[in-house]
Amino acid sequence: MSLSAHRPLLRFESVSVVAGSGAALLVDVDAEVVAGMITVVAGPSGAGKSTLLRLGDRLDIPTGGRVLFEGIDITEMDPCALRRTIGMVFQRPVLFAGSVADNLRVADPHASAERLESALEQVGLDGSLLGRIGDDLSGGEAQRVCIARTLLTDPKVVLMDEPTSSLDPANRRAIESLARELADRGLGIMWVSHDHDQVARLADRLVVLRDGRRVGEAEAGAYLDDVGALESDGDGSHEDPPGDLP
Amino acid sequence: MNSTHIGWAGLAGSFTLIVIAMALSVWQRLRLSRSIAWAAARAAAQLLAVGWALRLVLDPDASVLWAWAWVVVMVVFAGATLRQRAPEVPGIWWLGTLSMATVILVSLSVIFGFGVFPIEGRTIVPLAGMMIGNSMTSCVLVGRRIVAEFSERRDEIEARLALGQTWRDAARPYTGAALRTALVPQIETTKAVGLVFLPGAMTGLVLAGVDALDAVTIQLALMYLVLGSVATSVTVIGLGLTRQLFTPDHRLRRLDRPATSS
């Protein structure tokens, strides 16, 4: 993928979030999601990672700063249309009552069976799963169905909030590979993780949060050094070094 | 003593049943005898006061406006009572008042529009009281159920919003479930009437010497009125509350736990 394909899609400009209790959840955080790359948001529990992600899908709004999608303030966009363009995958797979097909049709009520099968195949699942009840799926299958459901809205950005935290290592790797495939197809991925090894495996760009603030590049670098850094990532297929340098 | 006038002696005689209830409480060491006595005394005081006021309102010579004023007071008190009973439901006071006002408007328009009963103080006040009284429990139920459902299913609702659904579409399965929960008891009551129990109005009419078939038709009209009222009030509260739980930009407001975590 050429560097020109790495255009900015979603940009967080000095976003702050103050909770109702007065606690600062995010303070003046800048971050960017670009096409064709995985931006990992890392940091300890309570650092504000999920809060940042939710701002991107307008499930919450910042008390300061703004979020731009393709240069437009997202508060000026229709929220429903925005959320179909910016997909979100949650930490725990959330399946609705009914079959896998019912779940997928929440994203696209008029989708044909072929389109649903194709969506499942995109995430490495067999089309025969369409008739299965959501409760009968394994954790890994359920999360993949959630990703397939999100992809049915044809998003340009996918925000993934620790999507593998409840999965076994094999499923974890499979979902990571899927995120990489999506990025290679040109989607912008923002992936929240506090798993150091995973950060090292996935991050094309890195945002490290601590106590609601984004740490500087030096500290972010140290964060990676602490965990063996990206040098140990044998992949070597990515063009850009880690570190979000918007 | 005729069948419509039991007199003070008759009332005192019926009090014997309260004494029996208190005796049972003492015998079984339930420690409820004071509560039973208090409930009986309070009911007597409230109803006697209402009876005295109703005499003035229902006087055939009194203006029907007094009856309507009485209904307005009932609606406002119903809203306040709902707030007392379900303080955890946001906006229950104004939603309750609105739903009761809607119920009165819709139901009485139908009843009086079709000439089921004449527009008189003696019909307006009891009918309004019956509709409001029967709707209260269902309103509390639907309010609590929606708050619980939206707290427990927050993940699902936000997942739907994240797929681009409007607040209305995202909420529909959960609001619908709460509405069904609140309506089913009244539907079951309507189905069981006559087989399992004889409802109060009909019993009262029969006791008052009215022909049984006349009593049945009046009771049926009242049952339909009550079912329609409960459905209306529950729907107004359910939809109003649901709307209130979302922001104009289709975000689910926080209920009992923070929406953000990391």
Side-chain angles (χ1 to χ4, degrees):
Chain A
M1 181 170 294
S2 70
L3 282 172
S4 61
H6 296 157
R7 66 189 192 287
L9 291 173
L10 190 63
R11 184 175 172 81
F12 301 83
E13 278 188 358
S14 298
V15 291
S16 299
V17 174
V18 178
S21 63
L25 303 178
L26 283 177
V27 182
D28 284 335
V29 172
D30 289 306
E32 199 172 52
V33 181
V34 298
M37 301 184 90
I38 299 178
T39 302
V40 172
V41 182
S45 290
K49 305 185 296 294
S50 297
T51 306
L52 182 68
L53 214 65
R54 291 172 60 87
L55 297 183
D57 210 30
R58 206 169 156 186
L59 289 175
D60 283 326
I61 52 169
T63 47
R66 60 183 189 156
V67 182
L68 307 171
F69 177 71
E70 293 185 326
I72 301 168
D73 190 328
I74 64 170
T75 58
E76 293 168 14
M77 302 172 71
D78 172 60
C80 301
L82 174 82
R83 291 179 187 138
R84 293 184 72 78
T85 310
I86 301 177
M88 182 135 176
V89 177
F90 295 85
Q91 188 170 355
R92 277 191 322 107
V94 181
L95 290 181
F96 312 125
S99 66
V100 169
D102 294 334
N103 267 270
L104 296 179
R105 285 210 166 92
V106 172
D108 186 354
H110 307 296
S112 64
E114 290 74 29
R115 177 158 157 77
L116 299 186
E117 280 174 17
S118 160
L120 286 183
E121 281 160 13
Q122 276 188 69
V123 297
L125 292 176
D126 193 86
S128 63
L129 277 183
L130 279 178
R132 285 261 292 275
I133 297 300
D135 289 346
D136 297 340
L137 301 178
S138 69
E141 287 172 328
Q143 191 61 294
R144 286 192 223 197
V145 169
C146 290
I147 296 172
R149 197 173 59 192
T150 299
L151 294 178
L152 274 168
T153 65
D154 294 324
K156 291 184 178 177
V157 172
V158 180
L159 308 171
M160 307 181 96
D161 188 1
E162 301 197 50
T164 59
S165 62
S166 58
L167 304 184
D168 58 64
N171 273 305
R172 201 175 303 153
R173 289 294 187 129
I175 303 281
E176 287 174 12
S177 301
L178 181 57
R180 175 59 60 201
E181 276 176 39
L182 295 176
D184 289 344
R185 268 196 255 158
L187 273 69
I189 307 291
M190 188 174 231
W191 179 297
V192 163
S193 180
H194 66 257
D195 174 343
H196 289 169
D197 293 337
Q198 188 173 62
V199 173
R201 282 194 300 272
L202 281 180
D204 297 325
R205 300 160 68 90
L206 180 64
V207 174
V208 178
L209 297 178
R210 185 163 290 137
D211 297 329
R213 294 173 189 273
R214 183 171 180 185
V215 303
E217 283 172 43
E219 199 177 337
Y223 178 86
L224 285 176
D225 290 341
D226 285 347
V227 295
L230 292 181
E231 299 88 83
S232 63
D233 182 8
D235 182 333
S237 62
H238 313 312
E239 298 160 20
D240 295 307
D244 188 8
L245 305 169
Chain B
M1 185 177 73
N2 68 34
S3 60
T4 60
H5 183 75
I6 66 167
W8 294 108
L11 182 61
S14 65
F15 192 76
T16 309
L17 292 163
I18 297 297
V19 175
I20 290 173
M22 291 167 66
L24 288 171
S25 168
V26 171
W27 177 44
Q28 289 296 309
R29 296 178 188 170
L30 302 179
R31 295 180 183 176
L32 286 174
S33 26
R34 280 181 68 177
S35 292
I36 293 170
W38 171 241
R42 188 174 154 168
Q46 287 172 183
L47 280 179
L48 286 172
V50 167
W52 176 79
L54 273 176
R55 263 186 142 171
L56 299 178
V57 173
L58 305 187
D59 186 328
D61 297 330
S63 165
V64 80
L65 288 177
W66 286 110
W68 288 116
W70 182 285
V71 171
V72 170
V73 172
M74 279 199 291
V75 167
V76 173
F77 266 94
T81 307
L82 283 173
R83 185 169 62 177
Q84 263 188 340
R85 282 210 222 163
E88 73 276 27
V89 179
I92 187 73
W93 184 85
W94 77 265
L95 278 172
T97 306
L98 176 69
S99 77
M100 295 305 167
T102 309
V103 161
I104 296 294
L105 189 72
V106 172
S107 304
L108 291 188
S109 296
V110 171
I111 287 290
F112 293 140
F114 283 105
V116 180
F117 295 108
I119 306 177
E120 294 171 5
R122 70 176 180 85
T123 53
I124 295 169
V125 173
L127 288 175
M130 184 174 283
M131 285 184 284
I132 290 173
N134 280 283
S135 299
M136 296 275 279
T137 307
S138 301
C139 286
V140 169
L141 192 58
V142 77
R144 286 184 177 156
R145 194 60 239 148
I146 285 180
V147 168
E149 193 84 1
F150 277 53
S151 301
E152 291 160 15
R153 308 292 187 105
R154 184 175 191 102
D155 290 353
E156 283 188 33
I157 296 168
E158 289 204 318
R160 287 176 181 275
L161 292 173
L163 289 167
Q165 287 198 326
T166 61
W167 68 267
R168 200 176 270 111
D169 289 338
R172 185 169 289 125
Y174 315 99
T175 302
L179 292 179
R180 276 192 295 277
T181 302
L183 272 175
V184 163
Q186 191 58 46
I187 295 170
E188 292 303 319
T189 301
T190 307
K191 281 198 289 194
V193 71
L195 298 174
V196 182
F197 70 98
L198 293 179
M202 182 179 149
T203 308
L205 287 167
V206 171
L207 285 175
V210 174
D211 175 70
L213 208 55
D214 288 341
V216 164
T217 51
I218 291 175
Q219 182 61 55
L220 263 178
L222 293 179
M223 292 295 289
Y224 296 157
L225 182 67
V226 167
L227 184 55
S229 302
V230 170
T232 305
S233 61
V234 157
T235 305
V236 171
I237 290 246
L239 298 185
L241 178 58
T242 300
R243 179 69 194 93
Q244 198 173 274
L245 295 179
F246 289 89
T247 62
D249 61 345
H250 305 265
R251 287 181 292 115
L252 181 58
R253 294 184 198 275
R254 287 176 179 76
L255 285 163
D256 63 343
R257 63 190 172 94
T260 53
S261 61
S262 30

